[in-house]
């Protein structure tokens, strides 16, 4: 089943290379829609409460490599997110005019690799998928990107490569030490604590760049701004999630002691990220850059949640990741919609769009609110759960990270105000037509998903619950004692928090 | 061991030397008109040698059955593995060279003959188990190479390359001989087995000096830093087919030779030479990567790239384990495929006027003007950078795996961090070809032989190459086992 999901876009990618532009668009759309259908089948057949790893496939290949696939609830949700965003990306690529067949092939190839990352159950297989993603993304940014695309492509490539090669050495060492490359086995293997320290740092280098965490985030705004719209959606929607997925799949279960040891580092960087990047976002004049910085701030909420060492934090992080995948993807699409019409990302060039593009303004507002974390949207559920989780571990971190919500409201509402409200300053912006059918098809499904996740997150939490509980049990032995423990002694404090959340 | 058994072991070498001499006579009698035919005949001879050597490799020949001439020469699986790579690389060069030289009306019938003699020298190098045999092989190879480097005799740069190669090569030989004399003086023997016995346990200071000088001389030949300075100049100046040759076959021979000297003769003192190898390896990775960044000539860039790759191969040597030796061989095989592929692609960059371009800037927008060629070159570049799923990643993977298993984790960390610097200039070429606007150059299509070679090499470094891993790994393991038989 999982191999089939990899095979469909792979065949599509090859087919795209041999046809004309128009046919390539159709092939790409069909391939991604088939994959979406397969993803829905996957979700429907996923047995909640069943075995931890489902849909497993295991074929030994060569020299210790194996084709090992399998998913748990966490991977399932991320795969569904990937296949959900892909057809939308293809639809959003209508404005691409040059070298369409290659573009579509690169995107489909990218989809293969992204699903592969989430489904891989072999250490090296994971690495190959993880690292190979650099090639298509480098080409997408470099060939179809904006004016300063070459600088951005280099920066993206080298930053992420440096992060991941260190991880390779750590993986080699781990495989040597544990005698296996099977990820589920490794997740239960206890590495000696002193080795965990540097193994953790090597993995951290990779995932922190990918995530991206605060001082290593500088590639992200450049890459986002220069990438074409669909590239930004994939980057924000799925590629950043690989970092979070890496933490949840490798760093936490494999090195719990080291995770606890470096918790100050993660918290410190996350706090810095929430406050600083939010402030930076506030002064941006480029829409894409603003959303890119907001991504860094949201990802920081993910990392504090992950490293809260409790169920709420982990569940919250997962929901933030899924929600951010949808919301920031949708926001980039919203930017793309007006960029296609006016070919500028300058916020000042727009204004009063709610007058001539009311439907667009409605969608844009929904996603803005979801990004801010308004109750009823997906953003609220995730951020609330994460902060509840971290509150049990450290109140100060919670206090600082919670300012991110306020600052987030500030920069997002400020952006929305400048773009959608006010007077229509520019005649050309005022003359832009409202959403086309294609754009409805892009934004509509995401809006529904965002509301669904906001109103009934249980659908998304249920498949992950058992896996998160298992992870929580795994890291419990290293969990740092929280400074709010004293207050937590009040009976039913924790159940009340989780009941509210659901 | 009687003489006839020895002679049967050196059958490929006999075939090479006899046919080399015959072809030389043919060349003298038929003149330059026959140079194409002589090239093809030389190719056929290399193919025959390939067939003669292959059984020893597949059978994992080793030990007493492979020794010839009382321990002067060995035809074991390790030597065989290296020879197969040498034949393949030399054969590829013989296919692409005639059209190149004919363009300058400088194709001489001696060219294939010189290549055959160089191959003979390399064969002796990789099979040497005595310092004397080693030196004879090395010189035979070097002397042929000096002539090859300056084969484009009307071109100043080519003559300069030949002269430079000669002077520095002679210096390297001198250093090597000095080391050999010290080793001989302190161990009392020139045979590898004898040296190994004498170095077991305590080692005299003089012997350490000897080891250092021998390794320094060999480092010249494999162009490892700090003895690499001749490489960019010679690679740039030599005619491109000859550069292809230099970057592939002699490199294989010199690396295999270094591995045998280090692991067999100096095997007991691995701790003493490991630091030299570790330094040379890291320095090569860094200098190879940093030096390449500023280059505007693609041949110079590939020269630095080869320095960089030697660094990775030396990581396998530093491990000093059978696994490390096997990893070196796998890396070498992949390296030869990538190098030949890249240089063939460079050779195919022929403008309508018939001149070959070597400037990276001329590659601008190649993906638009010659998409297939650009795709092949891009695959080679990503593979050289070691990005999975291309096959170049596998070479780095096995080398680093061997280093980690030998507890050289810091070396592995530094080496792989250096590979990121290297990735920069490989993706720079991709950038020029794919992101930039097309340059105003009218391209002429490459020949059939070029396309065939490029297709083979690109298929080998593409993910399809992983189908070879089991086979390649088992052959390399057998070869490495032959090297460690005595240890």
């Amino acid at each position: 089943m999982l191999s089939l999901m990899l095979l469909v876009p792979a065949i599509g990618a090859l087919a795209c290379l041999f046809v004309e532009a128009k046919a390539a668009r159709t092939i790409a759309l069909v391939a991604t829609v088939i994959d979406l259908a397969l993803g829905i089948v996957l979700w429907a057949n996923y047995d909640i409460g069943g075995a931890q790893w489902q849909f497993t496939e295991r074929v030994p290949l060569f020299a210790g490599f194996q084709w090992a696939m399998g998913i748990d609830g966490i991977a399932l949700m991320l795969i569904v997110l990937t296949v959900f965003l892909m057809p939308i990306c293809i639809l959003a690529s209508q404005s691409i005019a040059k070298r369409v067949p290659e573009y579509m092939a690169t995107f489909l190839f990218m989809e293969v690799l992204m699903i592969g990352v989430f489904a891989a159950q072999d250490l090296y297989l994971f690495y190959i998928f993880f690292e190979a993603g650099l090639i298509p993304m480098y080409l997408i940014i470099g060939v179809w990107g904006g004016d300063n695309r070459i600088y951005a492509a280099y920066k993206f490539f080298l930053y992420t490569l440096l992060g991941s090669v260190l991880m390779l050495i750590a993986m080699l060492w781990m495989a040597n030490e544990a005698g296996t490359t099977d990820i589920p086995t490794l997740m239960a293997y206890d590495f000696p604590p002193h080795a965990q320290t540097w193994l953790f740092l090597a993995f951290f280098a990779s995932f922190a760049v990918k995530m991206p965490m605060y001082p290593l985030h500088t590639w992200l705004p450049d890459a986002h701004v220069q990438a074409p719209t669909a590239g930004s959606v994939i980057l924000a929607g799925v590629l950043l999630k690989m970092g979070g997925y890496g933490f949840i799949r490798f760093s936490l279960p494999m090195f719990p002691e080291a995770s606890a040891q470096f918790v100050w580092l993660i918290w410190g960087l996350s706090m810095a990220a929430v406050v600083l990047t939010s402030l930076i976002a506030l002064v941006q004049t480029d829409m894409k850059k603003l959303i890119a910085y907001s991504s860094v701030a949201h990802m920081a909420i993910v990392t504090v949640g992950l490293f809260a060492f409790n169920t709420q934090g982990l569940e919250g992080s997962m929901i933030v990741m899924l929600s951010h995948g949808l919301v920031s993807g949708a926001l980039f699409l919203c930017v793309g919609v007006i960029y296609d019409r006016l070919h500028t990302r300058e916020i000042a060039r727009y204004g009063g769009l709610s007058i001539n593009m009311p439907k667009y303004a409605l969608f844009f507002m929904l996603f803005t609110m979801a990004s801010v974390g308004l109750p009823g949207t997906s953003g609220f559920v995730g951020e609330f759960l994460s902060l509840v989780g971290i509150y049990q571990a450290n109140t100060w971190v919670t206090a600082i990270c919670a300012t991110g919500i306020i600052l987030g409201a500030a920069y997002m509402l400020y952006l929305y105000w400048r773009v959608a409200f006010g007077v229509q300053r520019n005649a050309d912006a005022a003359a832009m037509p409202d959403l086309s059918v294609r754009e409805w098809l892009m934004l509509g499904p995401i809006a529904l998903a965002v509301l669904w996740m906001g109103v009934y997150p249980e659908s998304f939490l249920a498949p992950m619950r058992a896996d998160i509980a298992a992870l929580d049990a795994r890291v419990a032995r290293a969990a740092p004692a929280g400074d709010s423990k004293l207050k937590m002694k009040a009976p039913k404090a924790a159940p009340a928090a989780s009941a509210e959340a659901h | 061991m009687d003489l006839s058994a020895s002679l049967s072991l050196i059958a490929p070498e006999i075939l090479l030397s006899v046919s080399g001499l015959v072809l030389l006579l043919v060349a003298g009698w038929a003149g330059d008109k026959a140079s194409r035919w002589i090239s093809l005949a030389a190719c056929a001879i290399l193919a025959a040698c390939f067939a003669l050597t292959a059984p020893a490799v597949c059978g994992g020949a080793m030990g007493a059955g492979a020794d010839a001439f009382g321990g002067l020469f060995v035809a074991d699986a390790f030597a065989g593995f290296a020879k197969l790579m040498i034949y393949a690389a030399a054969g590829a060069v013989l296919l692409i060279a005639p059209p190149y030289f004919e363009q300058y009306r400088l194709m001489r019938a001696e060219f294939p003959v010189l290549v055959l003699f160089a191959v003979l020298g390399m064969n002796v190098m990789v099979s040497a188990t005595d310092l004397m045999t080693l030196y004879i092989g090395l010189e035979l190879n070097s002397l042929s190479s000096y002539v090859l480097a300056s084969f484009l005799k009307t071109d100043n740069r080519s003559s300069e390359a030949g002269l430079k190669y000669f002077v520095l090569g002679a210096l390297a030989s001198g250093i090597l001989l000095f080391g050999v004399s010290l080793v001989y003086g302190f161990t009392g023997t020139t045979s590898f087995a004898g040296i190994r016995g004498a170095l077991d346990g305590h080692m005299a200071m003089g012997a350490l000096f000897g080891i250092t000088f021998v390794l320094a001389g060999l480092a010249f030949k494999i162009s490892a830093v700090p003895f690499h300075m001749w490489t960019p100049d010679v690679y740039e100046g030599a005619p491109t087919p000859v550069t292809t040759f230099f970057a592939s076959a002699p490199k294989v021979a010199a690396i295999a030779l270094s591995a045998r000297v280090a692991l067999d003769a100096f095997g007991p003192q691995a701790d003493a030479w490991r630091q030299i190898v570790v330094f040379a390896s890291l320095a090569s990775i860094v200098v190879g990567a940093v030096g390449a960044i500023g280059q505007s000539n693609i041949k110079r860039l590939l020269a630095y790239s080869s320095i960089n790759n030697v660094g990775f191969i030396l990581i396998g040597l530093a491990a000093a384990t059978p696994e490390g030796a096997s990893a070196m061989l796998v890396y070498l095989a992949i390296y030869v495929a990538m190098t030949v592929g890249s240089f063939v692609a460079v050779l195919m960059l022929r403008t309508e006027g018939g001149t070959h371009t070597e400037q990276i800037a001329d590659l601008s927008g190649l993906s638009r003007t010659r998409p297939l060629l650009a795709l092949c070159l891009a695959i080679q570049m990503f593979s050289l950078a070691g990005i999975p799923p291309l096959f170049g990643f596998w070479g780095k993977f096995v080398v680093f795996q061997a280093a980690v298993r030998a507890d050289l984790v810091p070396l592995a960390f530094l080496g792989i961090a250096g590979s990121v610097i290297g990735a920069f200039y490989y993706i720079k070429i991709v950038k020029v070809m794919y992101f930039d606007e097309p340059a105003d150059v009218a391209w002429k299509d490459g020949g059939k032989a070029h396309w065939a070679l490029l297709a083979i090499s690109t298929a080998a470094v593409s993910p399809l190459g992983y189908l070879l891993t089991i086979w390649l790994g088992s052959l390399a393991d057998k070869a490495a086992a032959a090297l460690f038989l005595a240890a």
Side-chain angles (χ1 to χ4, degrees):
Chain A
M1 180 73 185
L2 290 167
S3 296
L4 187 65
M5 287 185 77
L6 291 176
L7 199 60
V8 170
I11 292 173
L14 284 180
C16 277
L17 283 176
F18 295 101
V19 294
E20 291 298 303
K22 203 166 154 58
R25 285 184 209 272
T26 320
I27 290 175
L29 194 60
V30 169
T32 50
V33 168
I34 292 176
D35 238 27
L36 173 59
L38 287 172
I40 292 169
V41 173
L42 193 72
W43 193 0
N45 287 335
Y46 184 83
D47 179 17
I48 296 170
Q52 189 185 1
W53 303 99
Q54 302 185 12
F55 303 102
T56 47
E57 299 165 25
R58 222 153 275 259
V59 183
L61 292 178
F62 47 81
F65 273 53
Q66 53 176 348
W67 180 261
M69 292 268 156
I71 50 168
D72 62 352
I74 297 169
L76 170 75
M77 293 325 298
L78 289 166
I79 289 178
V80 170
L81 175 70
T82 311
V83 293
F84 177 71
L85 285 176
M86 276 312 290
I88 296 173
C89 284
I90 302 293
L91 279 179
S93 306
Q94 288 297 321
S95 56
I96 299 289
K98 66 171 180 178
R99 297 203 244 176
V100 177
E102 287 101 324
Y103 178 87
M104 294 297 166
T106 324
F107 253 91
L108 290 173
F109 185 49
M110 194 73 220
E111 182 174 19
V112 175
L113 298 174
M114 289 186 301
I115 298 174
V117 164
F118 296 131
Q121 289 235 291
D122 180 89
L123 207 53
Y124 297 143
L125 194 64
F126 170 84
Y127 181 80
I128 289 178
F129 283 129
F130 190 80
E131 182 103 336
L134 289 179
I135 300 178
M137 209 59 213
Y138 174 70
L139 294 175
I140 288 171
I141 298 176
V143 179
W144 295 278
D147 307 323
N148 198 15
R149 56 183 199 259
I150 288 160
Y151 171 74
Y154 273 137
K155 202 167 176 178
F156 166 79
F157 192 95
L158 295 176
Y159 244 100
T160 35
L161 181 64
L162 181 64
S164 39
V165 290
L166 297 177
M167 181 170 77
L168 176 65
I169 301 293
M171 283 180 169
L172 289 169
W173 192 89
M174 285 161 67
N176 196 23
E177 160 85 15
T180 176
T181 55
D182 187 52
I183 290 177
T185 318
L186 285 167
M187 282 168 72
Y189 188 88
D190 293 315
F191 290 99
H194 63 92
Q196 280 189 20
T197 306
W198 70 262
L199 289 174
F200 179 87
L201 285 175
F203 276 79
F204 179 75
S206 174
F207 299 142
V209 168
K210 205 83 171 182
M211 190 91 186
M213 290 185 72
Y214 167 59
L216 308 173
H217 69 281
T218 55
W219 64 269
L220 183 74
D222 287 312
H224 266 319
V225 169
Q226 300 303 332
T229 302
S232 297
V233 174
I234 282 301
L235 202 55
V238 186
L239 286 186
L240 301 191
K241 308 303 171 286
M242 287 182 187
Y245 178 75
F247 279 128
I248 219 167
R249 178 68 75 233
F250 295 93
S251 302
L252 281 168
M254 292 183 194
F255 326 118
E257 276 80 18
S259 300
Q261 188 188 343
F262 285 107
V263 85
W264 53 271
L265 177 70
I266 308 260
W267 288 350
L269 294 181
S270 304
M271 286 188 288
V274 166
V275 177
L276 292 174
T277 53
S278 296
L279 290 175
I280 295 171
L282 210 46
V283 296
Q284 294 303 319
T285 56
D286 181 314
M287 282 191 271
K288 270 187 155 179
K289 230 172 190 160
L290 190 150
I291 300 168
Y293 278 111
S294 87
S295 290
V296 182
H298 281 111
M299 288 295 116
I301 305 271
V302 173
T303 43
V304 287
L306 288 176
F307 286 83
F309 291 87
N310 53 46
T311 329
Q312 287 85 6
L314 290 168
E315 286 185 348
S317 299
M318 277 309 297
I319 294 289
V320 174
M321 284 208 271
L322 296 176
S323 150
H324 176 264
L326 296 172
V327 173
S328 70
L331 285 171
F332 279 118
L333 289 173
C334 286
V335 173
V337 165
I338 50 177
Y339 179 80
D340 286 346
R341 288 166 171 68
L342 214 57
H343 298 286
T344 174
R345 295 180 304 264
E346 279 290 307
I347 298 172
R349 292 276 287 113
Y350 298 94
L353 291 189
S354 57
I355 298 168
N356 59 323
M357 300 176 74
K359 298 195 182 80
Y360 169 77
L362 184 69
F363 274 119
F364 194 14
M365 184 175 72
L366 172 70
F367 297 127
T368 304
M369 291 307 160
S371 176
V372 170
L374 191 76
T377 60
S378 57
F380 170 73
V381 182
E383 293 188 2
F384 181 75
L385 273 174
S386 298
L387 292 174
V388 166
I390 189 67
Y391 186 76
Q392 296 170 33
N394 194 311
T395 44
W396 282 107
V397 178
T398 321
I400 292 177
C401 288
T403 61
I405 312 241
I406 302 165
L407 289 169
Y411 60 73
M412 284 312 295
L413 293 176
Y414 185 43
L415 168 73
Y416 189 72
W417 171 63
R418 282 179 292 174
V419 172
F421 295 151
V423 290
Q424 294 183 312
R425 284 186 296 274
N426 301 300
D428 49 358
M432 295 195 299
D434 209 346
L435 298 182
S436 66
V437 177
R438 177 177 66 86
E439 288 155 351
W440 265 96
L441 281 176
M442 279 154 43
L443 296 173
I446 304 188
L448 287 179
V450 165
L451 289 173
W452 181 13
M453 202 185 286
V455 175
Y456 193 68
E458 178 62 18
S459 315
F460 302 90
L461 281 170
M464 300 189 292
R465 186 157 289 130
D467 304 306
I468 285 178
L471 179 60
D472 187 43
R474 170 85 181 145
V475 297
R477 64 167 196 242
D483 64 351
S484 58
K485 271 282 155 59
L486 290 170
K487 295 179 187 111
M488 293 289 287
K489 275 182 187 163
K492 287 179 190 157
S498 62
E500 261 175 67
H502 300 156
Chain B
M1 169 80 40
D2 57 1
L3 187 64
S4 62
S6 292
L7 288 177
S8 73
L9 280 173
I10 61 161
E13 285 75 20
I14 294 177
L15 176 62
L16 274 174
S17 38
V18 171
S19 55
L21 292 170
V22 170
L23 285 181
L24 190 59
L25 290 177
V26 174
W29 179 63
D32 294 341
K33 299 186 297 294
S35 48
R36 269 213 177 209
W37 292 109
I38 295 177
S39 296
L40 286 178
C43 265
I45 289 158
L46 288 172
C49 291
F50 197 97
L52 278 175
T53 313
V57 182
C58 296
M62 60 173 86
D67 261 337
F69 303 112
L72 285 174
F73 188 96
V74 62
D76 59 2
F78 181 78
F81 194 96
K83 283 177 196 170
L84 294 187
M85 290 191 269
I86 293 168
Y87 300 145
V93 169
L94 284 176
L95 283 180
I96 56 175
Y100 179 90
F101 287 114
E102 276 163 15
Q103 213 166 353
Y104 298 97
R105 307 196 184 289
L106 280 171
M107 183 62 200
R108 305 289 308 270
E110 289 91 341
F111 183 81
V113 178
L114 281 167
V115 170
L116 282 188
F117 282 132
V119 169
L120 177 62
M122 289 182 241
N123 269 5
V124 176
M125 280 163 78
V126 295
S127 281
T129 46
D130 190 287
L131 292 173
M132 287 301 104
T133 338
L134 178 164
Y135 189 71
I136 291 170
L138 196 69
E139 282 306 291
L140 179 55
N141 168 39
S142 300
L143 287 172
S144 316
S145 300
Y146 303 147
V147 184
L148 286 174
S150 49
F151 209 74
L152 217 53
K153 60 188 176 188
T154 51
D155 183 16
N156 282 342
R157 287 189 311 162
S158 178
S159 313
E160 182 198 327
L163 188 64
K164 215 169 234 174
Y165 198 17
F166 173 67
V167 171
L168 287 168
L171 177 67
S173 297
I175 293 175
L176 181 75
L177 273 186
F178 183 55
V180 165
S181 68
L182 279 173
V183 170
Y184 174 66
F186 282 88
T187 60
T189 172
T190 57
S191 88
F192 287 3
I195 295 171
R196 189 176 57 239
L199 290 180
D200 215 352
H202 174 73
M203 178 176 60
M205 184 56 103
L208 180 61
F209 270 91
I211 291 176
T212 312
F213 277 104
V214 169
L215 289 180
L218 292 174
F220 254 108
K221 296 292 171 192
I222 62 176
S223 67
V225 175
F227 304 106
H228 66 288
M229 357 24 166
W230 57 273
T231 322
D233 290 341
V234 172
Y235 279 27
E236 185 194 357
T240 312
V242 176
T243 313
T244 318
F245 186 62
F246 286 170
S248 51
K251 207 143 235 182
V252 171
I255 287 169
L257 172 67
S258 310
R260 196 190 286 281
V261 169
L263 296 171
D264 188 6
F266 302 154
Q269 296 295 340
D271 291 334
W273 55 257
R274 181 178 284 125
Q275 39 191 322
I276 302 176
V277 174
V278 166
F279 170 76
S281 144
L282 286 180
S284 303
I285 291 172
V286 172
V287 171
V290 175
I293 289 174
Q295 302 304 328
S296 60
N297 180 303
I298 193 159
K299 278 162 78 182
R300 276 187 94 83
L301 185 133
L302 286 171
Y304 278 105
S305 151
S306 85
I307 296 172
N308 180 259
N309 277 296
V310 162
F312 290 113
I313 295 171
L314 288 179
I315 287 182
L317 180 58
T321 55
E323 204 191 0
S326 160
M328 281 175 80
L329 291 177
V330 171
Y331 195 109
L332 261 179
I334 299 171
Y335 166 76
V336 168
M338 294 190 294
T339 308
V340 171
S342 313
F343 275 107
V344 169
V346 170
L347 267 176
M348 288 167 74
L349 295 170
R350 218 146 46 111
T351 54
E352 205 53 75
T355 50
H356 288 84
T357 181
E358 293 169 4
Q359 295 305 312
I360 294 173
D362 288 342
L363 297 178
S364 297
L366 198 68
S367 67
R368 233 72 80 69
T369 45
R370 297 189 67 183
L372 196 55
L373 182 60
L375 181 68
C376 290
L377 195 53
I379 289 177
Q380 302 286 354
M381 288 299 134
F382 277 125
S383 178
L384 278 165
I387 309 290
L390 299 169
F391 205 35
F393 166 71
W394 179 250
K396 292 211 166 64
F397 179 84
V398 286
V399 165
F400 285 118
Q401 190 172 42
V404 169
R405 290 208 177 142
D407 275 336
L408 294 173
V409 177
L411 172 66
F413 259 110
L414 293 171
I416 206 155
S419 80
V420 177
I421 313 176
F424 173 75
Y425 61 84
Y426 295 124
I427 65 170
K428 188 172 103 178
I429 299 204
V430 176
K431 172 231 150 198
V432 170
M433 291 191 304
Y434 276 81
F435 303 173
D436 291 354
E437 289 305 310
D440 193 18
V441 182
W443 298 106
K444 203 172 160 187
D445 198 30
K448 283 202 189 69
H450 291 72
W451 274 116
L453 281 174
L454 186 61
I456 292 171
S457 125
T458 308
V461 303
S462 75
L464 292 178
Y466 286 89
L467 299 174
L468 300 174
T469 42
I470 297 178
W471 178 75
L472 194 63
S474 75
L475 287 186
D477 283 343
K478 276 184 209 160
L483 196 57
F484 277 84
L485 191 64

